[in-house]
Amino acid sequence: LIKSQATLVTVLSNTPIILFSTDKTGTIVLSEGKGLSLFGIAGGQAVGLAFSDLFSENQKISGAAARALSGESITIVEVLESLIFEVNFSPILNKEKEILGMIALYFDITDLKDAENRMKTRLNYEEGIALCSQILLKDTPDSIPLALLELLYCSGVDKIV
């Protein structure tokens, strides 16, 4: 068990995630992960604190934790300190299905969301280019101005200066 705990702490200390575990009252019994440093917290520093106190300013997180402590698994996406996290909350149950606590696992998905937004922008631009091609193929007197307007729109330009 001690070796397993040491392995878990090593993995968590070297990956950009955060793991909290609480007892059934919501008191933190484990706080680990390299991601804690983003908030100026060291691994283990939050142990003994009430999870609800740590996140009292964030109703979405404290509400999800309360739901997990009521037996529900829930996943939310939340912005913390300009980073985007996917947070998975799960109850910890014993064999009798009694709630012993909960686990909250935070994944930093900021880079993933940035890439998703870049892909959406690129797709919008490519769709605009395709539409421009269709407009130009019509070869009407309005084709060139309409195509240019479409290019401006898909490029995100609001007006011509």
Side-chain angles (χ1 to χ4, degrees), residues 63-81:
R67 289 168 67 180
L69 286 169
S70 296
E72 183 180 348
S73 292
I74 183 171
T75 299
I76 63 170
V77 174
E78 186 65 3
V79 177
L80 300 168
E81 302 289 330

Side-chain angles (χ1 to χ4, degrees), residues 3-23:
K3 187 176 178 181
S4 295
Q5 285 179 325
T7 301
L8 176 63
V9 170
T10 300
V11 169
L12 292 173
S13 298
N14 291 293
T15 37
I17 60 175
I18 301 169
L19 174 66
F20 288 106
S21 181
T22 73
D23 63 15

